[in-house]
């Protein structure tokens, strides 16, 4: 793996059933959402409805596990939902899923269809290695509020993704920082699919394979590497 990803022992102890699949991709072509990427989001919402069979997203066993982990590191899961639950809630609402750009649409569609948190980071914007760890509380998370750039600090003990510069995503997968997000100019990215027990590892692998197929379809000629679950 060109980009080093590390999960700290503290996070492993907090969530022994945590698994992630990383997909590295170079030579990607991004741009505004298209009819094809929009159709994928609509199809994902239909697949989600079938999966839930009348239940609310937070009642799914995988989402229950994420809520328990969020509670364990001090976050209120009904206020700061994991990314998959938040997207699923929007998918089932009247407004539906947002259309961001092609690459984000692709990984959001996989997240919703499989009810699994999926994120994408622009590897050209990442500095050094990425680590999933519990925050000391003095790390910097640069975000935007009211149109202005602001610096936040995670809570002590909060689970965060970081690189050499600071926090790239708060509360595990709740809020990504704008510095490393995928934009229409992104050509290289790493996608992370994250799961907890009781979701079988095979389910995460299948979701990753589907995302890799979509990346190949929408960016012909891209160099894509799907890494083994870790």
């Amino acid at each position: 793996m060109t980009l080093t990803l590390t999960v700290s022992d503290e996070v492993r102890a907090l969530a022994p059933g945590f698994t992630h699949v990383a997909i590295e991709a170079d030579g990607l072509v991004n741009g505004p959402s298209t009819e094809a990427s929009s159709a994928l989001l609509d199809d994902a919402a239909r697949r989600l409805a079938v999966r839930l069979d009348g239940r609310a997203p937070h009642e799914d066993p995988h989402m229950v596990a994420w809520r328990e982990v969020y509670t364990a590191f001090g976050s209120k899961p009904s206020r700061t939902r994991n990314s998959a639950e938040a997207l699923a809630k929007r998918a089932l609402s009247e407004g539906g899923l947002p259309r961001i750009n092609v690459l984000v649409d692709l990984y959001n569609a996989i997240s919703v269809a499989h009810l699994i948190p999926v994120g994408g980071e622009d590897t050209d914007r990442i500095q050094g290695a990425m680590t999933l760890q519990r925050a000391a509380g003095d790390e910097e998370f640069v975000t935007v509020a009211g149109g202005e750039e602001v610096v936040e600090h995670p809570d002590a003990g909060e689970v965060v993704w970081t690189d050499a510069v600071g926090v790239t995503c708060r509360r595990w997968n709740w809020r990504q920082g704008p510095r490393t997000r995928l934009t229409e100019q992104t050509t290289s990215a790493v996608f992370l699919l994250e799961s907890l027990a009781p979701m079988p590892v095979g389910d995460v692998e299948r979701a990753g394979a589907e995302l890799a197929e979509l990346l190949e379809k929408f960016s012909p000629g891209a160099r894509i590497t799907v890494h083994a679950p870790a």
Side-chain angles (χ1 to χ4, degrees):
M1 180 179 289
T2 305
L3 176 67
T4 302
L5 298 173
T6 303
V7 179
S8 73
D9 291 341
E10 285 185 318
V11 172
R12 293 291 188 192
L14 179 72
F18 173 63
T19 300
H20 70 275
V21 169
I23 301 173
E24 286 189 277
D26 296 298
L28 295 168
V29 178
N30 201 12
S33 298
T34 64
E35 288 186 11
S37 70
S38 183
L40 284 173
L41 292 170
D42 290 337
D43 182 62
R46 288 190 288 269
R47 292 169 65 183
L48 173 67
V50 171
R51 174 185 288 268
L52 291 173
D53 192 24
R55 295 173 298 168
H58 70 267
E59 296 176 305
D60 178 85
H62 192 211
M63 296 298 95
V64 170
W66 276 106
R67 283 190 165 222
E68 290 173 351
V69 167
Y70 267 51
T71 299
F73 67 76
S75 289
K76 294 182 178 179
S78 58
R79 178 184 296 176
T80 55
R81 296 179 175 87
N82 74 80
S83 65
E85 184 183 327
L87 272 179
K89 196 172 187 302
R90 293 191 69 172
L92 299 174
S93 70
E94 185 175 338
L97 289 164
R99 275 58 173 164
I100 308 297
N101 58 55
V102 169
L103 291 177
V104 175
D105 290 352
L106 298 189
Y107 79 70
N108 279 349
I110 295 299
S111 176
V112 169
H114 293 268
L115 204 53
I116 179 173
V118 183
E121 304 279 357
D122 189 322
T123 48
D124 290 333
R125 296 171 179 265
I126 295 169
Q127 302 294 316
M130 292 188 67
T131 304
L132 184 66
Q133 62 187 346
R134 301 197 72 172
D138 58 356
E139 298 90 348
E140 292 192 350
F141 177 72
V142 180
T143 186
V144 176
E148 299 290 331
E149 186 176 281
V150 296
V151 177
E152 297 178 353
H153 300 281
D155 299 326
E158 180 182 324
V159 176
V160 293
W161 277 104
T162 65
D163 67 0
V165 175
V167 174
T168 58
C169 195
R170 287 198 59 188
R171 296 196 176 98
W172 209 314
N173 48 46
W174 167 66
R175 178 183 291 171
Q176 182 185 33
R179 173 170 60 90
T180 58
R181 68 188 175 192
L182 305 187
T183 68
E184 293 181 14
Q185 288 71 47
T186 296
T187 58
S188 298
V190 58
F191 301 89
L192 291 172
L193 298 86
E194 301 179 310
S195 72
L196 297 169
M199 176 171 276
V201 174
D203 288 3
V204 191
E205 291 181 296
R206 280 186 286 276
E210 186 177 342
L211 177 55
E213 289 176 4
L214 289 176
L215 293 172
E216 291 171 353
K217 177 181 177 180
F218 281 78
S219 293
R223 300 175 298 281
I224 299 167
T225 303
V226 181
H227 295 278

